Structures are given as C-alpha cells and as structure tokens.
Amino acid sequence: MIRPAKMDDADALWDLALRMHAESNYLELEPSEVMFRKFVSAMIGLNGEQARILVAERDSKLIGFHIGYIANPFWSMDRIGHDAMMYIDQDHRGGMTAMRLIKAFEDWAVQQGAKQIRPGISVGGPIDRVARLYHAAGYQTAGYSFVKNV
C-alpha cells in the first residue's frame, strides 16, 4: 500500500534512510538522526501543496519511501515536481513498489499544478537499473550528477 507519511513513521523512515546511506556515495558524510527528523517533520508539515512524503507499506511495515516537493525554477512561474530521495528496501526490490511510489508522486505533483517532474539519481548504487525504471515510467534522461570529495 502507498500512503502519505505520518509523524508516527519517523522511526521506520530513519531506519530506511540509514540503509539508503549505506548503499550510497554519501558515505563520506555522517548521517544525523536529528537533521533527518527535522527534515521529515518539515516535509510532513508541508504535506499538501509544497511537499509530500509517500511510504510503501507491506504487512504493516514500511518497505520504502519517496520524498518529493514542488518548486518554481528561478526563471519561471511554472511549477516542477522534484524528488529529494526515494528508497526501496533491498528485500522488496524488483516488484512494482518503486513504480507505484513514482506514480503516486506524479499524481500528487500534477494535482499541485506541476508542468514537469524531474527526479534524479544522486546517491550512486544501481544507476542503470534505476534509469530503466524511470524510462519505463515515461521519463527521458535530462542530465548528470557529479560529486567531488574535498
């Protein structure tokens, strides 16, 4: 089941976020539970017009999430849906969970007036697999992400 997150989900979201971090190219950066909980609280507080946290739940357990928001580019009044992060627990990949989260975010973003949706892949991991997922959902590749540890 895909549903909007509640503050009661914060512990499970943090657990999933730590798993995401462990698979990511952000290993040089120390995860902060305090910062993550502030972020989740702010996003849930904006739930509706500006931001949405969606969770995937199976057997009363969170198995994934999508965090997204709506913003105007600095040069346009048009609205764009962006993702901040999406993660599916390793044991639950390969099914339809990711596609359902993407579709639920799309539906919400369109309701908020988005003219485009621009997800990204910035954490490393199985980039080709994620790209295939987004291509199957009708997305086109629109750029790259770069990182340099300093």
Side-chain angles (χ1 to χ4, degrees):
M1 170 175 69
I2 306 298
R3 63 170 174 78
K6 306 173 290 198
M7 281 309 298
D8 291 350
D9 296 320
D11 290 340
L13 285 167
W14 173 241
D15 181 56
L16 289 169
L18 285 175
R19 290 184 218 169
M20 183 178 99
H21 179 266
E23 293 180 45
S24 77
N25 59 21
Y26 284 94
L27 294 175
E28 296 290 323
L29 304 177
E30 185 70 30
S32 167
E33 185 172 0
V34 169
M35 291 301 292
F36 183 79
R37 286 180 183 274
K38 283 182 181 180
F39 174 71
V40 166
S41 179
M43 295 298 271
I44 289 175
L46 294 172
N47 250 349
E49 292 184 22
Q50 294 177 301
R52 175 72 88 186
I53 300 178
L54 296 162
V55 296
E57 190 176 50
R58 184 172 295 153
D59 300 324
S60 301
K61 180 181 175 190
L62 295 193
I63 61 168
F65 64 85
H66 181 287
I67 302 176
Y69 60 95
I70 299 287
N72 300 82
F74 64 89
W75 46 268
S76 177
M77 294 297 292
D78 292 327
R79 301 181 88 188
I80 298 175
H82 298 275
D83 69 332
M85 61 182 81
M86 181 172 78
Y87 180 76
I88 308 298
D89 181 67
Q90 286 184 354
D91 294 339
H92 298 280
R93 294 179 190 163
M96 292 299 296
T97 302
M99 191 66 82
R100 287 183 181 121
L101 283 167
I102 291 167
K103 179 67 173 137
F105 178 71
E106 284 179 4
D107 291 346
W108 172 81
V110 168
Q111 290 172 0
Q112 303 315 308
K115 289 198 171 180
Q116 289 185 340
I117 300 172
R118 290 185 165 258
I121 306 168
S122 64
V123 297
I127 293 172
D128 291 342
R129 186 174 173 184
V130 177
R132 282 193 305 273
L133 170 71
Y134 278 109
H135 290 154
Y139 290 80
Q140 299 172 4
T141 302
Y144 298 95
S145 178
F146 300 95
V147 65
K148 180 179 182 180
N149 292 319
V150 292

